[in-house]
Amino acid sequence: MKVYIKNMVCNRCEMAVKTVFEKMEIPILSMQLGEVEISKELNERQKHLLSENLKALGFELLDDKISKTIERIKNLIVTLVHYQNEKLKINLSTYIADDLNQDYSALSNLFSETEGITIEHYFIAQKIEKVKELLIYNELSLSEIAFQLNYSSVPHLSNQFKKTTGITPTQFKQLKNKKRRQIDDL
C-alpha cells in the first residue's frame, strides 16, 4: 500500500516521516519524496493517528483526500445525470468547481491521473448509461431523451452513443439482451 504525503519535500522530511512510522510500528518497504510504501493496509484508527502525527510536523496525508475528492466528483456527476435532469443545462466544469470550491483544471488533472479517464469522458459514459436506461423503459422517444439529457440534437446523441457503445440507439433497442453497466462500474 502506498501512502501519499503532502509537504514531504526534502531529506529531513523523509527522516521526520520515517520517525513517525517507526513510532507507530508501521513497517516501511520504501520511501521517496511524497510517498511511503508500506506492507499492510491501515485501519481507520491507524490512518487517523498517522494523519494526526504527520499533521503535527506540518505534513498531510493525501491518500484519503484524493480518494474523497474523486468520489465527490463521481457522485456529483451521477447525481447530475441520473437524478437531477433540470441541472444538466449548466456547464459541467463550473458545476464541479463550484461544488468542490477548487480549480477545475486541478480537479480534472487529478481525476485523469487517478481514474485513467477524463471527467468529460466519465460524464459521457454516465449519460450513455442513462440513455440506455431510458431506451429500455421505452417511454420516451429519442428526441425526448436527447432533450432531457441536454444533447444539442438527436444526431449528436446518436453519434456519441455509437462512438461509446459501437452501435446506434436503434440497434440497442432491437437487442434481445440489452447490456447495461452498473453506475459504480463506470
Side-chain angles (χ1 to χ4, degrees), residues 80 87-96:
L80 183 64
K87 284 194 173 182
L88 280 174
K89 297 187 187 229
I90 67 170
N91 183 305
L92 180 64
S93 58
T94 303
Y95 176 70
I96 290 171

Side-chain angles (χ1 to χ4, degrees), residues 15 28 42 53 59 77 144 149-150 168 170 173 178:
M15 290 183 339
I28 297 173
L42 301 175
N53 289 332
F59 302 108
I77 291 171
E144 292 169 322
L149 294 175
N150 200 35
T168 66
T170 304
K173 279 182 85 164
K178 296 171 176 64

Side-chain angles (χ1 to χ4, degrees), residues 42-162:
L42 301 175
N43 63 40
E44 288 305 313
R45 184 180 175 286
Q46 288 173 313
K47 284 181 186 177
H48 178 72
L49 246 159
L50 179 60
S51 179
E52 291 302 314
N53 289 332
L54 290 171
K55 197 177 284 185
L57 297 174
F59 302 108
E60 182 180 337
L61 273 182
L62 288 178
D63 191 39
D64 287 343
K65 190 174 183 179
I66 291 171
S67 298
K68 287 179 183 176
T69 301
I70 297 303
E71 279 307 304
R72 283 183 63 196
I73 292 169
K74 286 181 174 183
N75 290 336
L76 283 171
I77 291 171
V78 167
T79 300
L80 183 64
V81 172
H82 295 277
Y83 306 110
Q84 296 179 345
N85 296 334
E86 71 279 354
K87 284 194 173 182
L88 280 174
K89 297 187 187 229
I90 67 170
N91 183 305
L92 180 64
S93 58
T94 303
Y95 176 70
I96 290 171
D98 288 352
D99 191 87
L100 290 151
N101 199 25
Q102 293 184 37
D103 177 60
Y104 180 76
S105 61
L107 292 170
S108 180
N109 289 337
L110 177 68
F111 191 90
S112 296
E113 288 172 12
T114 306
E115 296 298 307
I117 185 174
T118 65
I119 290 174
E120 291 77 15
H121 282 113
Y122 184 79
F123 181 61
I124 290 167
Q126 289 295 335
K127 284 177 73 171
I128 295 303
E129 287 306 309
K130 183 67 174 181
V131 170
K132 288 179 183 179
E133 176 185 342
L134 295 171
L135 287 171
I136 288 169
Y137 292 159
N138 205 22
E139 295 175 350
L140 300 174
S141 69
L142 204 49
S143 296
E144 292 169 322
I145 293 171
F147 178 76
Q148 182 175 329
L149 294 175
N150 200 35
Y151 282 95
S152 57
S153 65
V154 172
H156 179 222
L157 182 153
S158 295
N159 288 337
Q160 199 169 72
F161 191 94
K162 183 164 184 167

Side-chain angles (χ1 to χ4, degrees), residues 5-22 28 30-36 54 57 59:
I5 302 171
K6 184 176 181 179
N7 298 328
M8 187 176 157
V9 294
C10 65
N11 291 337
R12 284 186 307 242
C13 297
E14 282 186 2
M15 290 183 339
V17 168
K18 184 177 181 184
T19 302
V20 169
F21 278 78
E22 287 173 349
I28 297 173
S30 66
M31 180 185 293
Q32 60 185 26
L33 296 180
E35 185 178 298
V36 178
L54 290 171
L57 297 174
F59 302 108

